[in-house]
């Protein structure tokens, strides 16, 4: 690049950094609040909250806010965090279903993003040319692969929607598809549920950071850490 290109790049850096901070902050709020509900969703159900003293009415995670009635501590990972009040707008079981599903997808996405920096398959390289993350998406669109992927994801979402109705009717716990081939939940299900929700929340913020880091630098997460000064 010439002197003009270098000057322009330096001039854009403060704007890019400010934009990135705003995006990351928004992603954190969205992830921890289990995503905003849409119009037409089931209305929130009122739960009785046992209160023995005035101090128990305040949220343990946000002490200057009151604990929402729907967050009564019975769900794994519930620490009374809902500063935007989503749980008062729609059914908490719908919100938990959404949080678990997005957390699981984010864990797979984060693992995949990291794995791309560790190893590549020759067949994948021949097809995608070593493209990663959002660049890989563009390559797959050009090759017509994304249409097929969208079809199978929509097929899976159909069964997820049926399961969601069972959850709202009280026939199924949120996120429970009876999938535990290794029997990890047989000894201590409560502990495994807590680990899943915590790692899912971390992964939602993590993959958001990896993706926006790739937007700015064009590098995968491990590649970026290994060449941070460059």
């Amino acid at each position: 690049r010439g002197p003009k290109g270098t000057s322009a790049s330096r001039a854009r850096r403060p704007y890019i950094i400010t934009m990135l901070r705003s995006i990351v902050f928004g992603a954190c709020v969205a992830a921890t609040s289990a995503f905003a509900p849409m119009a037409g969703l089931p209305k929130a159900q009122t739960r009785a909250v046992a209160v023995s003293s005035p101090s128990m009415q305040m949220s343990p995670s946000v002490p200057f806010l009151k604990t929402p009635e729907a967050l009564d501590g019975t769900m794994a990972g519930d620490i009374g965090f809902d500063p935007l009040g989503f749980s008062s707008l729609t059914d908490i079981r719908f919100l938990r279903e959404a949080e678990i599903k997005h957390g699981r997808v984010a864990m797979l996405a984060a693992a995949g993003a990291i794995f791309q920096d560790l190893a590549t398959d020759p067949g994948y390289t021949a097809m995608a040319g070593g493209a990663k993350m959002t660049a890989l998406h563009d390559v797959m669109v050009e090759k017509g692969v994304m249409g097929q992927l969208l079809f199978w994801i929509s097929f899976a979402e159909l069964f997820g929607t049926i399961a969601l109705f069972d959850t709202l009717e009280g026939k199924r716990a949120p996120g429970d598809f009876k999938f535990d081939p290794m029997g990890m939940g047989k000894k201590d299900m409560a502990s495994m549920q807590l680990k899943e929700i915590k790692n899912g929340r971390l992964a939602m913020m993590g993959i958001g950071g990896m993706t926006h880091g790739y937007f700015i630098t064009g590098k995968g997460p491990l590649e970026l850490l290994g060449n941070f000064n460059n």
Side-chain angles (χ1 to χ4, degrees):
R1 296 180 180 176
K4 293 183 178 180
T6 303
S7 300
S9 299
R10 291 178 177 175
R12 286 197 301 266
R13 284 182 182 176
Y15 169 75
I16 293 175
I17 292 174
T18 302
M19 179 181 67
L20 178 61
R21 288 176 177 173
S22 300
I23 291 172
V24 171
F25 175 76
C28 291
V29 172
T32 51
S33 299
F35 304 92
M38 299 172 61
L41 297 180
K43 295 183 178 179
Q45 292 185 348
T46 304
R47 294 186 180 186
V49 180
V51 178
S52 59
S53 66
S55 61
M56 290 184 65
Q57 296 180 359
M58 307 308 291
S59 169
S61 58
V62 190
F64 55 86
L65 295 178
K66 291 185 178 181
T67 302
E69 291 185 2
L71 301 182
D72 57 5
T74 58
M75 288 185 171
D78 177 9
I79 53 174
F81 185 83
D82 184 17
L84 300 182
F86 292 147
S87 62
S88 63
L89 301 177
T90 190
D91 197 313
I92 188 65
R93 294 171 296 187
F94 171 84
L95 297 176
R96 174 46 60 98
E97 181 83 21
E99 182 179 30
I100 292 175
K101 179 169 69 173
H102 285 84
R104 289 168 177 171
V105 171
M107 285 188 281
L108 291 172
I114 293 172
F115 184 79
Q116 284 184 313
D117 283 351
L118 296 175
T120 56
D121 180 82
Y124 164 81
T125 303
M127 177 183 66
K132 300 178 181 179
M133 302 186 74
T134 55
L136 175 61
H137 169 272
D138 296 339
V139 172
M140 294 296 101
V141 170
E142 292 178 2
K143 293 184 176 294
V145 177
M146 294 301 292
Q148 184 178 138
L149 182 61
L150 178 62
F151 170 79
W152 289 110
I153 290 178
S154 300
F155 187 71
E157 282 290 338
L158 175 63
F159 290 96
T161 302
I162 295 173
L164 175 61
F165 282 117
D166 286 342
T167 298
L168 297 177
E169 292 174 1
K171 300 177 182 179
R172 166 184 172 271
D176 183 10
F177 288 95
K178 306 298 181 184
F179 182 79
D180 187 14
M182 301 180 67
M184 300 179 69
K186 291 181 179 179
K187 293 183 179 180
D188 190 355
M189 177 61 77
S191 175
M192 296 306 297
Q193 288 176 331
L194 180 60
K195 291 176 181 177
E196 180 183 39
I197 202 68
K198 283 187 173 181
N199 283 281
R201 289 168 178 171
L202 179 62
M204 285 188 280
M205 292 186 285
I207 191 59
M210 294 177 198
T211 302
H212 289 92
Y214 187 84
F215 282 156
I216 295 174
T217 66
K219 298 178 181 178
L222 297 185
E223 183 184 9
L224 178 60
L225 290 175
N227 302 276
F228 192 77
N229 293 327
N230 297 325

